[in-house]
Structure formats: C-alpha cells, structure tokens
C-alpha cells in the first residue's frame, strides 16, 4: 500500500503529456473546426489532408519561392494546457532514411537561436520547424505563427537544400 501511495505521489509531481482533440477520439481523422474557423476568419487558403491537418502553401513573391506549412489538428495536453503545433519542413533526406548526424547537429544549433519554436526530426528523414501555441489561440495569433513558420522554414531550407522543394 505504501508503495502505491509513493507511486501515485510521484506521478502527480510530474507533468503528464497526452494527445487530445476536444470532443473527438484520438484516432479520429476529422479536422479541428477551431482551426478552420480561425483560418477562414483570416482569409487563408488551405486544404485538409488525409490526417485532418491543414496544409497551406505560403508564397514569397519577392523571391519567387513558397513554403509548406501544416497546422496540426491533433493537439497535446500538458497539465491544464492544450497545445497546437504548426509545422514547416526544412530538410528531407533523398531516400527517406534517418537524418544524417551532421544535419541533426545543425538542427540543434539552429534551434538555439529560434525565438518561438524549434527544429525536430521525424523518423522518415525530415526536419521540421515546429511552433507550439495555445490550441485556442485567436485567429491573429494563429496567423502570426503560420507566417513565422513559413518564413523561418524557408530560410532554414535555403541553408540545407538546393531549390525550393519544401
């Protein structure tokens, strides 16, 4: 009994992280209507992908470039916070393998200087800029993080990739 009380006390002392999308099961592929309303209110163009995420192509006319940005429908909960992620790809391996060590080191070093967000590697050899905000952030705040993700993602892509594939 004492061991159970110690375990319960230990679990309560550490923040727990879980995936959530209020009102939906974690496996649902439906999109988050809060994002849809916010994007519509700000006049963004987007498509909803097979995972229920919002895919956007942000154009930079002064450089004749564009950048992918994803607003992720699935949210994360940490204690009483609900967090939404906004992703922008900055690097991908040619063959889908894991990220090379020198790129991983570069990503860690670049993350040091990022004010909002960081770089993260996926198991399929991609590196993303990932910004995290309150899942209920007002439309102008979501728009700001989308613009930050697009511009940061594009600048970082130019450092490691030739062309404009992401």
């Amino acid at each position: 009994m004492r061991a159970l009380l110690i375990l319960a006390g230990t679990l309560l002392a550490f923040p727990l992280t879980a995936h959530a999308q209020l009102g939906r099961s974690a496996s649902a592929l439906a999109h988050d209507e809060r994002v849809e309303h916010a994007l519509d209110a700000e006049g963004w163009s987007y498509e909803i992908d097979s995972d229920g995420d919002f895919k956007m192509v942000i154009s930079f006319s002064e450089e004749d470039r564009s950048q992918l940005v994803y607003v992720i429908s699935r949210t994360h909960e940490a204690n009483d916070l609900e967090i939404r992620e906004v992703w922008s790809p900055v690097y991908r391996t040619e063959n889908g393998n894991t990220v090379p060590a020198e790129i991983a080191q570069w990503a860690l070093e670049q993350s040091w200087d990022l004010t909002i967000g960081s770089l993260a590697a996926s198991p399929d050899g991609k590196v993303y800029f990932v910004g995290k905000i309150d899942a209920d952030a007002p439309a102008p705040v979501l728009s700001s993080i989308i613009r930050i993700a697009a511009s940061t993602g594009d600048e970082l892509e130019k450092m490691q990739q030739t062309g404009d594939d992401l």
Side-chain angles (χ1 to χ4, degrees), residues 58-102:
I58 311 300
S59 296
F60 301 104
S61 58
E62 64 277 358
E63 292 188 62
D64 194 30
R65 293 179 61 87
S66 62
Q67 187 68 22
L68 287 173
V69 173
Y70 296 91
V71 180
I72 308 303
S73 279
R74 179 183 237 180
T75 61
H76 302 276
E77 284 189 357
N79 292 339
D80 60 345
L81 300 174
E82 185 184 12
I83 305 299
R84 176 167 324 286
E85 294 179 340
V86 178
W87 299 356
S88 184
V90 300
Y91 174 87
R92 72 169 169 223
T93 59
E94 293 297 319
N95 52 13
N97 288 338
T98 59
V99 173
E102 65 273 6

Side-chain angles (χ1 to χ4, degrees), residues 17 29 47 55 60 67 70-71 73 81 93 98 108 110 112-113 126 128 135 143 148 150 160:
T17 301
L29 297 181
E47 63 182 66
K55 180 181 177 182
F60 301 104
Q67 187 68 22
Y70 296 91
V71 180
S73 279
L81 300 174
T93 59
T98 59
L108 284 171
Q110 292 300 313
W112 182 263
D113 291 326
K126 294 179 184 156
Y128 292 88
S143 288
I148 290 168
Q160 289 296 329

Side-chain angles (χ1 to χ4, degrees), residues 10-163:
T10 303
L11 289 175
L12 290 175
F14 293 101
L16 301 176
T17 301
H19 295 285
Q21 187 170 351
L22 299 180
R24 304 179 205 279
S25 71
S27 63
L29 297 181
H31 65 278
D32 190 327
E33 292 178 2
R34 296 174 293 177
V35 175
E36 183 176 31
H37 295 304
L39 295 178
D40 289 346
E42 293 286 305
W44 288 101
S45 296
Y46 58 87
E47 63 182 66
I48 300 171
D49 69 13
S50 62
D51 293 336
D53 300 323
F54 295 80
K55 180 181 177 182
M56 309 167 75
V57 178
I58 311 300
S59 296
F60 301 104
S61 58
E62 64 277 358
E63 292 188 62
D64 194 30
R65 293 179 61 87
S66 62
Q67 187 68 22
L68 287 173
V69 173
Y70 296 91
V71 180
I72 308 303
S73 279
R74 179 183 237 180
T75 61
H76 302 276
E77 284 189 357
N79 292 339
D80 60 345
L81 300 174
E82 185 184 12
I83 305 299
R84 176 167 324 286
E85 294 179 340
V86 178
W87 299 356
S88 184
V90 300
Y91 174 87
R92 72 169 169 223
T93 59
E94 293 297 319
N95 52 13
N97 288 338
T98 59
V99 173
E102 65 273 6
I103 298 297
Q105 181 66 36
W106 169 81
L108 284 171
E109 290 171 4
Q110 292 300 313
S111 287
W112 182 263
D113 291 326
L114 295 175
T115 303
I116 184 168
S118 61
L119 295 178
S122 65
D124 63 350
K126 294 179 184 156
V127 175
Y128 292 88
F129 169 84
V130 179
K132 298 181 182 189
I133 62 171
D134 187 302
D136 286 320
V141 173
L142 180 58
S143 288
S144 289
I145 195 69
I146 289 168
R147 285 190 290 277
I148 290 168
S151 61
T152 303
D154 192 56
E155 289 302 313
L156 292 168
E157 177 188 4
K158 287 190 279 187
M159 291 178 176
Q160 289 296 329
Q161 303 278 153
T162 57

